[in-house]
Amino acid sequence: MTTKDAVLEALEKEKGNYLSGQFLAECCGVSRNAIWKNINELRKDGYQIQSVNNKGYMLEMDNNIISKAGICMYLENMNNESFKAYDYSRLNVFDQIDSTNIEAKRNILMGNREHGNVIVAKSQTSGRGHGGSDFSSPDGGVYLSIILNPDEIDKNSDNITFSIKEIVSQIIEEYYNVSLEDGKYSSLYIGSQKVCGILTEGIVDLETGKFSNYIVGVGIRTAELEKISGLRPEKNMVIADLIRKIYLI
């Protein structure tokens, strides 16, 4: 973990509260000057961080930027007996990527096929939909893919797509207080507005003919949901809930 990541993690955990420069320096094992430099780097990244003499630094509550530190913080708060063994090194966050599903396939090809490997992106340049279609993925949405191992889940290939759709629908309706309608394939709509696409792909072992892994891709158009609902839930919290519930399917 870089110093900047460590500073962000500490600020995320105490969001809305001030942390002294000395405290952050001791937590990160660096000088106070290094803390100041990394605070400025985070500000350049868009984080709203207040600083007050004799009080320190505070990450403002209305920050809504996707980060590994923020997702992990919410995952820890959502922890339970079934989820406590989750390895946070399996979570990868990108500012931009071609496609989270494609990156998941690259991981599998490289042997990184563990149950619960997650790829999150702030934007995608080649987001994928059903039938090879494009899925528009501008900055500001929620885009993630999760690798699942069939041996680790209590579902079969005939109903996993339905189960994933139910999970995603419930989370969106809960956080944005909306009612969703089913669309073609695994799309979710509010009226005529598509607000979410789900792409579940199976990786087949050629020797056995059985599925070795599933890749669950979820793209949520949060800007549209915010306009419709007037709500702006923390994206890191929404992502953490998606990871936890899909991982435990």
Side-chain angles (χ1 to χ4, degrees):
M1 180 183 294
T2 66
T3 298
K4 187 167 80 169
D5 289 338
V7 171
L8 179 57
E9 181 178 51
L11 291 172
E12 285 278 13
K13 287 182 177 179
E14 293 295 331
K15 199 172 187 179
N17 297 315
Y18 282 95
L19 297 176
S20 71
Q22 184 61 39
F23 174 81
L24 289 169
E26 291 174 358
C27 286
C28 300
V30 297
S31 67
R32 292 183 66 174
N33 187 55
I35 294 299
W36 176 79
K37 289 181 178 179
N38 281 278
I39 290 290
N40 285 335
E41 287 298 315
L42 288 168
R43 284 170 172 160
K44 290 178 183 178
D45 291 342
Y47 290 94
Q48 299 176 48
I49 301 173
Q50 295 290 336
S51 58
V52 176
N53 288 337
N54 300 319
K55 293 182 72 174
Y57 304 99
M58 178 188 71
L59 181 63
E60 294 185 5
M61 291 297 294
D62 61 352
N63 276 271
N64 201 355
I65 300 175
I66 294 171
S67 69
K68 181 172 180 176
I71 297 168
C72 289
M73 186 268 292
Y74 281 111
L75 283 173
E76 290 173 0
N77 292 343
M78 295 174 178
N79 221 339
N80 58 37
E81 286 300 312
S82 299
F83 194 71
K84 66 181 181 180
Y86 184 77
D87 181 357
Y88 294 107
S89 68
R90 298 180 185 179
L91 172 60
N92 300 279
V93 179
F94 297 86
D95 286 333
Q96 187 179 77
I97 200 170
D98 51 357
S99 160
T100 58
N101 265 38
I102 291 174
E103 177 65 13
K105 289 181 180 179
R106 287 193 286 259
N107 273 255
I108 290 172
L109 288 173
M110 293 173 62
N112 303 322
R113 55 174 64 241
E114 292 84 3
H115 183 73
N117 277 6
V118 181
I119 297 94
V120 178
K122 297 178 184 177
S123 67
Q124 299 179 111
T125 58
S126 302
R128 298 187 61 229
H130 288 272
S133 62
D134 295 332
F135 183 84
S136 176
S137 311
D139 188 41
V142 166
Y143 316 109
L144 68 127
S145 294
I146 304 177
I147 296 173
L148 300 179
N149 186 329
D151 294 335
E152 299 289 336
I153 60 180
D154 189 26
K155 305 290 179 183
N156 58 53
S157 58
D158 292 331
N159 61 24
I160 185 173
T161 300
F162 175 79
S163 299
I164 295 297
K165 189 176 182 180
E166 286 290 295
I167 289 171
V168 176
S169 297
Q170 290 170 6
I171 287 175
I172 293 175
E173 291 183 339
E174 175 185 347
Y175 283 99
Y176 291 93
N177 192 28
V178 294
S179 295
L180 299 175
E181 301 170 14
D182 290 345
K184 191 176 181 180
Y185 302 118
S186 292
S187 300
L188 298 172
Y189 284 77
I190 298 176
S192 62
Q193 182 66 55
K194 182 177 178 178
V195 295
C196 177
I198 305 167
L199 178 62
T200 304
E201 300 183 275
I203 306 299
V204 177
D205 187 316
L206 293 179
E207 292 185 0
T208 65
K210 297 181 179 180
F211 287 108
S212 60
N213 287 101
Y214 300 119
I215 298 173
V216 177
V218 179
I220 303 175
R221 292 172 173 157
T222 56
E224 298 299 329
L225 285 164
E226 289 169 6
K227 288 178 185 178
I228 293 169
S229 68
L231 300 176
R232 192 169 179 263
E234 177 70 49
K235 293 175 190 173
N236 289 322
M237 181 166 55
V238 174
I239 292 170
D241 214 3
L242 285 167
I243 292 171
R244 181 178 65 91
K245 290 179 178 176
I246 294 174
Y247 175 82
L248 294 174
I249 191 171

